[in-house]
Structure formats: C-alpha cells, structure tokens
Amino acid sequence: IKADGGDQVKFDGAMRELRKLGIQVWPSPDVMEQMGAKDALVKVANLNIGLEDTLAYYTEAEFAAGFKKTMAFQPRVIKQNRGSSGEGIWIVKLKTDNYCSNYGERSCDNQEVLILMEANDNHAEEHTVAEFVEFCVNGRNTKSGKWTSKGEGKYLEGGKAAGGQLVDQRFCPRIVEGELRYNMAGDS
C-alpha cells in the first residue's frame, strides 16, 4: 500500500469503518493482527504439517545467519510482516542451483548470487546474498546495490514491537498452480 502511494493506517481505518457499518470486505485489520498471519507457518514448523526450515527473524544477526543456512538448502520465500500487496515478498533462488541435500549441511557465503522475484509485480532482480540481506535490513544504500523494486526494504525497521519481522519459508513450486485463502467472516 505504501509503495503505491497509499497509507496503511488510513486503509486500516477505512476497513474498520466499513466493519462498523456492517459491511464485511475481509477480516478486519484487528483480526489480521491477532491471527499473526505472516508468522503462522513458523508456529507450526515443527508439527507434522510444517516444514522445519520455516523461520522468523527479528534482528539482522538472526536474518543473516538463518537465511544463509536456509538458502543453501532450498529455494525460499522471504516475506516482510507489513502489508498484503506482495511488496516485500520475494521468491529467492540460487543462480548456480547448488543446494545442499540436507537442511543445515552448509550455509551460503555473502558473494553467492541470488535470482529474486518480487510478488507484487513479478519483476526479477539479481543480487548477492550480502546485498539482499543489506536491502532487507537497511534498505537502499551503496552496500545493497541498485534495486528496481518499488519498495524500500528495511523490513526489520522498528523491531518486533513495531512489526519488524521477516518470515523465511521454503518455496513450494506448486504455488504457481494457484492458492486458496480462507477467511471466516462474521461471528462464530
């Protein structure tokens, strides 16, 4: 929303007003916050339905170490915690396709090249691991390289209390066949 010139606070306020009028568009911003939508997969990672290499990051150190380990294992989806327009949601693959066989077997180094596709407009970019980590943490600067994304990065900005978070999950290739999302509307 912000990347397209909008304001998330105004949008959330408008959705709350519609709800007060009895108009249900989708779950209210309050319900979405309570659901913890972005980190729900992390909460089930160690259950039978989860994937152990699904992680949430709240600090630069956690992200740098965890992402290098997961990226070496399988293609990834990295999601920021703010918004639902696809900005800051990246499908990430190793350019060399040299994934390890078992999770934790190796970690990527800073110079390995990534192929990135952002979900909001499906544009592709190439960056090193170090540039991607820098963009996600500190945004556009000389260390992060040149980005064509509409977004500004800085996904951990403000810390956990302000919603600064990245979720790292395995890319499931069948997602290109479509996705169904179910939300309950109304009282139960």
Side-chain angles (χ1 to χ4, degrees):
I1 292 172
K2 184 178 178 183
D4 288 324
D7 182 310
Q8 186 72 48
V9 173
K10 288 180 184 177
F11 178 82
D12 289 349
M15 292 298 104
R16 287 183 183 100
E17 289 301 315
L18 286 173
R19 181 72 176 126
K20 285 179 188 174
L21 296 172
I23 301 169
Q24 186 67 44
V25 179
W26 56 55
S28 73
D30 304 312
V31 169
M32 294 300 288
E33 286 175 21
Q34 289 174 2
M35 288 172 53
K38 296 289 193 305
D39 66 352
L41 293 173
V42 177
K43 294 174 183 174
V44 300
N46 294 312
L47 300 177
N48 288 340
I49 61 169
L51 297 170
E52 69 173 335
D53 58 323
T54 303
L55 305 170
Y57 308 116
Y58 302 97
T59 69
E60 179 176 2
E62 289 173 336
F63 178 50
F67 173 69
K68 289 174 186 177
K69 183 177 173 182
T70 60
M71 190 69 247
F73 176 54
Q74 294 281 321
R76 313 304 304 166
V77 177
I78 303 296
K79 299 178 181 185
Q80 72 159 323
N81 193 39
R82 300 175 180 105
S84 58
S85 67
E87 187 266 317
I89 298 176
W90 296 94
I91 296 171
V92 188
K93 298 178 179 179
L94 290 175
K95 185 173 184 176
T96 58
D97 207 33
N98 64 328
Y99 300 101
C100 60
S101 300
N102 299 301
Y103 176 56
E105 215 170 58
R106 79 172 191 94
S107 290
C108 288
D109 68 49
N110 282 332
Q111 297 311 308
E112 288 189 64
V113 177
L114 305 172
I115 305 295
L116 304 140
M117 185 184 77
E118 193 170 18
N120 64 332
D121 61 6
N122 294 331
H123 82 280
E125 303 200 27
E126 262 188 43
H127 290 279
T128 65
V129 169
E131 289 172 334
F132 183 61
V133 170
E134 181 67 19
F135 179 77
C136 290
V137 175
N138 297 311
R140 298 172 192 272
N141 60 43
T142 55
K143 291 181 181 179
S144 67
K146 184 178 179 183
W147 288 79
T148 58
S149 171
K150 291 180 187 178
E152 297 297 319
K154 300 182 185 180
Y155 306 131
L156 300 177
E157 191 170 59
K160 187 175 182 177
Q165 167 188 313
L166 283 166
V167 171
D168 175 349
Q169 68 185 80
R170 190 180 309 173
F171 174 68
C172 298
R174 291 194 64 193
I175 193 70
V176 298
E177 296 172 22
E179 176 182 4
L180 297 175
R181 293 184 185 194
Y182 297 92
N183 292 305
M184 187 171 111
D187 297 331
S188 60

